[in-house]
Amino acid sequence: MSKVIWKSAKYDSEKGLWANFPNLCKGCGLCIEKCPVKCITWSEDLGVYGTPRVEADMKKCILCGICQMVCPDCAIRVEKNK
């Protein structure tokens, strides 16, 4: 049985954590389109299909979670600090 490794690109701030899982991101761009503060951009790194994955600017991100909700592949995780 092969082992699946889920590596993520994590972006931390005092507000919380935003993570993208390149093994899942197909580069559809829905998160970029729906972000209310426009903090998500294309990364230079590639996702699973050889398409660009996304990254977040944590100085702008409000950790609203909309990107996580609209991602059809569950490739984004948002955790707000309490």
Side-chain angles (χ1 to χ4, degrees), residues 11-19 35-37 39-40 56-69 76-82:
Y11 302 89
D12 289 307
S13 76
E14 63 280 348
K15 296 179 276 185
L17 165 87
W18 189 96
C35 179
V37 293
C39 71
I40 304 172
D57 179 351
M58 292 306 289
K59 291 178 183 158
K60 294 180 185 177
C61 184
I62 58 173
L63 296 165
C64 64
I66 292 173
C67 54
Q68 179 176 301
M69 288 187 283
I76 296 174
R77 182 174 174 193
V78 177
E79 287 184 22
K80 220 176 209 182
N81 288 340
K82 294 182 180 182

Side-chain angles (χ1 to χ4, degrees), residues 26 28 30 67-75:
K26 66 182 174 196
C28 69
L30 282 173
C67 54
Q68 179 176 301
M69 288 187 283
V70 300
C71 181
D73 302 305
C74 300

Side-chain angles (χ1 to χ4, degrees), residues 2-26:
S2 64
K3 191 181 218 181
V4 176
I5 299 173
W6 297 101
K7 292 186 179 183
S8 66
K10 294 180 183 175
Y11 302 89
D12 289 307
S13 76
E14 63 280 348
K15 296 179 276 185
L17 165 87
W18 189 96
N20 175 261
F21 296 88
N23 293 348
L24 299 173
C25 182
K26 66 182 174 196

Side-chain angles (χ1 to χ4, degrees), residues 38-49:
K38 305 300 180 204
C39 71
I40 304 172
T41 58
W42 295 112
S43 172
E44 302 239 344
D45 299 327
L46 300 179
V48 69
Y49 297 109

